[in-house]
């Protein structure tokens, strides 16, 4: 009787723990999305003081200093050799490729336009996840994901007057490399803490970012302003390190496809920040798209 009673009391714990873990993972991934939604406005601010190459390189160096300091302070051992290939993909896609391509695009594109184009990232990440990890989401999941991406794409085309800009090539390239980095980072976050994934990826880039920063600063003019410095600090510490820290932890808890669909809300959040911080304007199509996107998110979270 005593054994049966113990089993009975233990059963609710086994049931509720995964739900609590999923809830925490969803909250962490959502915090990551909020941090990422500030990236484009912060980059636009950073470009007021730095050239595009300087901004990307210095951003990587500052983020690596913060991450490396945390790794040293906590005496984290070096990653296993079998994880180096995955960390390289994260570094190439998230630390180098995406910041570089989006920063170049923002020289000629508004943050609102860039945000809605990059709104296709959730679907791209879900596709990469299916190819890389063998994940097989349901048909309803894919229909909702495609519908959300279509809503974002329609909004993009409408806002740009039906024509794609030259910067869109950089933005679509950023989609591909970032989706690869997200997928590999989410996979690695299942076997090591998420902050260590992005931390080691940032440190791995130091042999490239340090000389690149020195070279870029020597050739590109620097005009320090409050906006410029604030933007640099946020994209380095907020978006690149803290944002990816909670993002990878969230992906490890709820899965890459489900977490990626939370990013459907990122373009609309960025539009809000663009209006508040940069004074950009958008039409009533934005709230309508927001409703459609949030419906798609709700469906993917239940699939």
């Amino acid at each position: 009787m005593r054994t049966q009673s113990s089993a009975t009391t233990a059963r609710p714990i086994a049931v509720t723990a995964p739900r609590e873990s999923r809830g925490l993972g969803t909250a962490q991934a959502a915090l990551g999305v909020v941090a990422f939604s500030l990236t484009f406005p912060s980059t636009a601010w950073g470009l007021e003081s730095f050239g595009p190459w300087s901004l990307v390189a210095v951003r990587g160096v500052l983020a690596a200093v913060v991450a490396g300091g945390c790794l040293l302070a906590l005496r984290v051992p070096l990653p296993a050799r079998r994880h180096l290939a995955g960390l390289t993909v994260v570094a190439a896609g998230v630390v180098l490729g995406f910041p570089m391509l989006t920063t170049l695009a923002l020289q000629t594109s508004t943050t609102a336009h860039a945000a809605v184009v990059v709104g296709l990232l959730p679907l791209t990440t879900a596709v990469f996840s299916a190819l890389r990890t063998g994940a097989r989401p349901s048909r309803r999941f894919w229909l909702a994901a495609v519908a959300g991406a279509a809503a974002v794409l329609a909004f993009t085309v409408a806002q740009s007057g039906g024509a794609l800009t030259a910067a869109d090539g950089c933005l679509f390239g950023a989609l591909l490399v970032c989706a690869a980095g997200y997928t590999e980072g989410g996979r690695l976050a299942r076997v090591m803490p998420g902050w260590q994934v992005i931390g080691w990826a940032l440190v791995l880039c130091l042999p490239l970012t340090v000389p690149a920063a020195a070279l870029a600063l020597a050739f590109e003019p620097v005009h320090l302003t409050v906006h410029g410095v604030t933007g640099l600090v946020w994209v380095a510490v907020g978006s690149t390190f803290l944002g990816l820290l909670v993002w990878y932890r969230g992906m490890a808890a709820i899965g890459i496809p489900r977490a990626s669909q939370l990013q459907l809300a990122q373009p609309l959040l960025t539009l809000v920040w663009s209006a508040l911080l940069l004074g950009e304007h958008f039409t009533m199509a934005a709230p309508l798209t927001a409703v459609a996107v949030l419906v798609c998110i709700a469906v993917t979270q239940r699939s």
Side-chain angles (χ1 to χ4, degrees):
M1 294 295 292
R2 184 174 301 171
T3 303
Q4 184 177 0
S5 175
S6 300
T8 302
T9 57
R11 192 170 300 155
I13 298 176
V15 172
T16 57
R19 291 180 181 177
E20 293 176 357
S21 177
R22 288 196 297 269
L24 178 60
T26 300
Q28 290 171 333
L31 283 176
V33 170
V34 173
F36 299 154
S37 69
L38 281 161
T39 299
F40 286 172
S42 298
T43 300
W45 273 8
L47 287 172
E48 294 180 11
S49 295
F50 302 91
W53 298 101
S54 299
L55 182 62
V56 172
V58 174
R59 163 185 179 169
V61 172
L62 289 180
V65 169
V66 174
C70 294
L71 292 170
L72 285 175
L74 297 176
R75 298 181 180 180
V76 177
L78 293 173
R81 182 175 298 180
R82 66 180 182 276
H83 296 148
L84 290 180
L87 289 172
T88 301
V89 174
V90 175
V94 177
V95 178
L96 297 177
F98 185 80
M100 180 183 68
L101 291 170
T102 54
T103 300
L104 292 174
L106 285 173
Q107 288 189 289
T108 57
S109 173
T110 64
T111 58
H113 181 81
V116 290
V117 172
V118 177
L120 296 174
L121 182 58
L123 180 59
T124 311
T125 303
V127 172
F128 269 76
S129 173
L131 295 175
R132 178 68 178 87
T133 67
R136 292 295 180 267
S138 66
R139 181 178 298 178
R140 185 173 66 172
F141 176 96
W142 285 114
L143 289 176
V146 171
V152 171
L153 184 60
F155 181 82
T156 304
V157 173
Q159 288 293 298
S160 61
L164 298 179
T165 66
D168 289 330
C170 289
L171 293 173
F172 286 125
L175 285 176
L176 297 178
V177 297
C178 190
Y182 278 175
T183 300
E184 203 64 26
R187 187 185 66 83
L188 287 174
R190 294 178 180 271
V191 295
M192 69 172 69
W195 75 272
Q196 292 183 22
V197 174
I198 185 57
W200 285 120
L202 287 164
V203 171
L204 282 176
C205 290
L206 275 175
L208 294 176
T209 54
V210 169
L215 186 63
L217 288 172
F219 285 93
E220 290 183 337
V222 175
H223 305 286
L224 295 182
T225 64
V226 174
H227 278 180
V229 174
T230 302
L232 170 63
V233 171
W234 178 257
V235 293
V237 180
S239 299
T240 305
F241 183 60
L242 296 179
L244 286 169
L245 184 157
V246 293
W247 174 246
Y248 281 140
R249 292 189 67 173
M251 281 201 296
I254 66 177
I256 299 172
R258 179 176 292 181
S260 70
Q261 297 314 296
L262 290 174
Q263 276 198 301
L264 283 170
Q266 183 175 325
L268 288 308
L269 289 173
T270 299
L271 289 176
V272 174
W273 298 127
S274 298
L276 294 177
L277 301 177
L278 303 176
E280 293 186 2
H281 301 283
F282 48 85
T283 66
M284 286 301 295
L288 295 177
T289 308
V291 173
V293 167
L294 291 175
V295 170
C296 293
I297 291 176
V299 173
T300 58
Q301 296 304 295
R302 293 180 178 274
S303 298

